[in-house]
Amino acid sequence: QVQLVESGGGLVQAGGSLRLSCAASGRTFSSLAMGWYRQAPGKQRELVATVTSGGSTNYIDSVKGRFTISRDNAKNTVYLQMSSLKPEDTAVYYCAAQRSRLVGYEYWGQGTQVTVSS
């Protein structure tokens, strides 16, 4: 089992920055692929960024060049650095973990609210 706890959300003005953190426990962190999802009211949850156990990253087109996902295996923590924030980035952001692409992201944090004002 994996337990995930997000932190770092808040209210920022458009153009500002935030860094989200996700602390993991209960399983060997370095073996997991990690991702950040977000969900805005009335919209489907979307996977916005991933980092594999080998360090490869991927991003949804709308955040490329603005968001950076990274991991620190010594601290069992994954980060999402968000810059040049836009009002459309407003959502609840969730940290998630997977053991295999065959299973998908089966472990979830409780979410942290990010609000970007115009």
Side-chain angles (χ1 to χ4, degrees), residues 1-4 23-29 32 76 107:
Q1 298 297 308
V2 177
Q3 294 81 47
L4 304 172
S25 62
R27 192 179 179 91
T28 302
F29 179 76
L32 301 170
N76 286 4
Y107 306 107

Side-chain angles (χ1 to χ4, degrees), residues 21-73:
S21 299
C22 173
S25 62
R27 192 179 179 91
T28 302
F29 179 76
S30 61
S31 69
L32 301 170
M34 302 296 298
W36 287 95
Y37 282 80
R38 68 184 182 188
Q39 187 168 31
K43 291 189 174 182
Q44 295 277 359
R45 184 175 296 185
E46 61 180 353
L47 182 61
V48 299
T50 61
V51 57
T52 70
S53 60
S56 298
T57 60
N58 199 17
Y59 304 89
I60 194 170
D61 285 346
S62 62
V63 308
K64 286 180 179 177
R66 301 188 298 118
F67 290 12
T68 302
I69 187 171
S70 62
R71 66 193 299 157
D72 186 338
N73 289 339

